[in-house]
Amino acid sequence: MTTTPAATAPAAREERWQRFRANRNKALATPHGWLTLTSFQWLEEAPAAVDLAPGLWSTDGAGATKGTTAFLTAVPSDGLTLVETGERVDGTVSAVLADEESLMWVQFGGPDGDQVVVELAMRGGRYAIRTRDAASPVFTEFDGVPTFPYNPDWEVTGRFEPYPAPVDVPIGTANPLVDGVHRSVGEVVFRLPGSSHEFWLQAEEEKLGALTVTFHDETNGDTTDEWRKLSLPRPRPDGSVVLDFNRAINYPSAFTPYGTCPMPVKNNSLDIRVEAGEKEPYPA
């Protein structure tokens, strides 16, 4: 029996999707990745102890008018070492970050002294730390993100309508104390199965001209998390772009309460059930 190209195309697309899923799960299941977060704590100006990590932590303030440095004071018995060099922390060390930057700063615990990594982060003009514990059950018991079955109907072609210049749109994040900004570079226009009208989603630009859209849909809070995102290849010269919702994924905030992931802009909502891509990882 001879197999025609038309017959093999859906099978080839599904095979590529299976490889995408395998790589996605592998990327999530990395030591000290998103599945290992166990706390998010703001730093205060007075040196103070924090939960789940030794030492005294502080900052000289937040923002351009108050200061920009974070400090950690520890003694050798605390067992803290610098992630970058392995040097033991004995006394006070400091670090400076710009807003939205993160630093895997120090580590401790476990037989090799690196079970827990403490990440320093600057969010909304304030310093915070997040502990990343490789012994977290969320990480050790992870066996992949549940997804909807692959469905080629959810791969559609749309068009990209670029703005004359990027527009910064204020947004919320998964942390109510952290505001975000969506740099919209244009809108992706497309239709979906079961809908009689076009959708217009604001997009951000990624490396090499690729795009990302963050969206709500009617499955949110039911079978999927509160919002998801979809990466799109660089638009073709004629402006056309492919949206494969089978590759819609969760933000880290779907797996942990300690994320500061961006919410969709106000109008990035689809009045349809997008039953494709990743599901809620921890259904009730």
Side-chain angles (χ1 to χ4, degrees):
M1 177 179 177
T2 301
T3 303
T4 65
T8 59
R13 290 201 300 269
E14 183 170 1
E15 184 179 342
R16 288 195 295 270
W17 176 75
Q18 293 284 6
R19 290 198 298 268
F20 166 79
R21 290 303 323 155
N23 289 333
R24 162 69 170 162
N25 287 328
K26 182 179 179 180
L28 279 171
T30 55
H32 306 118
W34 292 114
L35 301 182
T36 66
L37 290 180
T38 52
S39 74
F40 180 101
Q41 303 169 75
W42 297 109
L43 300 189
E44 304 295 340
E45 293 189 41
V50 298
D51 293 335
L52 305 181
L56 299 177
W57 303 75
S58 63
T59 172
D60 59 356
T65 61
K66 295 183 180 179
T68 56
T69 305
F71 300 95
L72 164 62
T73 300
V75 296
S77 60
D78 288 325
L80 290 164
T81 60
L82 296 174
V83 171
E84 185 174 356
T85 65
E87 180 184 357
R88 188 168 297 279
V89 180
D90 182 7
T92 299
V93 294
S94 62
V96 176
L97 300 179
D99 201 31
E100 296 303 315
E101 284 188 336
S102 292
L103 169 68
M104 298 302 178
W105 197 9
V106 294
Q107 59 194 357
F108 69 95
D112 298 319
D114 60 356
Q115 175 181 313
V116 181
V117 167
V118 184
E119 170 196 3
L120 179 68
M122 172 71 88
R123 297 292 183 269
R126 298 175 64 187
Y127 277 109
I129 62 166
R130 289 193 286 209
T131 49
R132 294 173 177 251
D133 189 343
S136 167
V138 177
F139 170 62
T140 59
E141 298 175 10
F142 177 70
D143 62 356
V145 186
T147 70
F148 291 97
Y150 176 80
N151 184 343
D153 292 342
W154 286 104
E155 181 177 341
V156 299
T157 299
R159 70 181 187 276
F160 177 56
E161 300 281 354
Y163 294 152
V167 178
D168 287 342
V169 182
I171 57 172
T173 73
N175 186 318
L177 299 178
V178 177
D179 294 326
V181 174
H182 184 283
R183 173 153 287 192
S184 299
V185 296
E187 297 181 29
V188 179
V189 188
F190 58 95
R191 292 182 182 273
L192 286 175
S195 178
S196 60
H197 60 86
E198 287 186 325
F199 296 103
W200 296 65
L201 295 185
Q202 294 184 44
E204 288 188 294
E205 188 174 55
E206 303 297 339
K207 294 179 180 179
L208 303 177
L211 303 173
T212 295
V213 292
T214 301
F215 66 95
H216 292 293
D217 74 88
E218 295 296 311
T219 66
N220 296 163
D222 177 14
T223 53
T224 66
D225 194 50
E226 294 303 317
W227 63 89
R228 294 180 288 170
K229 70 175 178 178
L230 178 63
S231 295
L232 317 179
R234 181 176 181 172
R236 298 169 180 142
D238 64 358
S240 63
V241 64
V242 175
L243 300 90
D244 185 357
F245 283 90
N246 293 289
R247 300 191 178 211
I249 65 172
N250 295 318
Y251 273 98
S253 53
F255 304 95
T256 173
Y258 307 116
T260 57
C261 304
M263 291 181 175
V265 296
K266 182 178 180 181
N267 295 321
N268 273 24
S269 294
L270 307 176
D271 59 350
I272 190 173
R273 292 182 64 85
V274 179
E275 295 184 323
E278 291 188 351
K279 292 183 176 182
E280 164 63 55
Y282 310 115

